[in-house]
Every structure is written in C-alpha cells, then in structure tokens.
Amino acid sequence: MEEKELKVLKLDEITELIWNIFIALFIIILIISFISGYGIWTTGAITVIFLLPVVCIISGILITILRKLNYVETDGEWSTLDLMKSVFSVYWKDADGRFWWG
C-alpha cells in the first residue's frame, strides 16, 4: 500500500474560501429574492445573519470529518469555533467591539 500525501489546510486560506463562498451565495440569494418579489433589505439582513454561521459550521464539520479520515491535515489544532472566530474577525475589531466601518 503506497503512502498518500495529505493536503495541509491553513486557517487563513479556509477563512478566505468561506468568505468567497458566502459572497457568491449572498449574491445568488439576493437575485432570487429580487426575482421572486421579496424585499431585498429583509432578505439581505436575514441572509447575513444566518448564512455566514451556517457556512462556517458546515465547513468546520467537513474539515473535521476529513481530518479524522486522514484525507487532510490542518496547520494547527484549530476547530470549528476557531474557524468561525477567524472568519468573523475579518470584519470585527476585537479592540473596541465595532465593525470595521464604525
């Protein structure tokens, strides 16, 4: 049996990937809601509140499963919670607790 080389997942790369997935899904949901006649602001707010945590949780679970099955490795011992913290820290200032535009 030959040894397989595992892909090493870095937290920064996964964070960037999750943001790209979120932006693509957000645009698709907004277009569908506009075509269906729903309010763009309501749909946008609900999507921002719920879509990003769901994408983080699903990605974290998949990475954990793939790591347990020895298909991937991570660059450290980070979990789904660390992944969520990294994703949300992109636009959240820890020092004063405001968003980056505030």
Side-chain angles (χ1 to χ4, degrees):
M1 185 174 202
E2 68 182 61
E3 191 71 25
K4 59 182 174 183
E5 186 174 328
L6 300 178
K7 170 76 175 154
V8 177
L9 301 177
K10 297 179 181 167
L11 186 59
D12 295 336
E13 292 175 357
I14 299 299
T15 300
E16 184 179 333
L17 178 66
I18 287 176
W19 274 108
N20 292 337
I21 291 170
F22 168 73
I23 290 171
L25 288 174
F26 182 72
I27 291 171
I28 291 170
I29 290 171
L30 280 183
I31 290 171
I32 291 172
S33 68
F34 182 72
I35 291 172
S36 299
Y38 296 112
I40 287 183
W41 295 111
T42 305
T43 305
I46 291 172
T47 304
V48 167
I49 291 171
F50 293 113
L51 182 63
L52 192 56
V54 168
V55 171
C56 288
I57 291 169
I58 291 172
S59 299
I61 290 171
L62 288 174
I63 290 169
T64 303
I65 290 171
L66 291 174
R67 188 171 55 194
K68 296 286 185 190
L69 294 174
N70 290 327
Y71 285 111
V72 297
E73 289 181 3
T74 57
D75 61 343
E77 287 296 320
W78 47 270
S79 63
T80 304
L81 188 58
D82 297 322
L83 178 63
M84 289 180 74
K85 193 185 315 180
S86 175
V87 168
F88 282 104
S89 71
V90 172
Y91 291 105
W92 185 266
K93 291 182 180 177
D94 291 332
D96 35 350
R98 297 188 331 238
F99 283 104
W100 63 274
W101 60 79

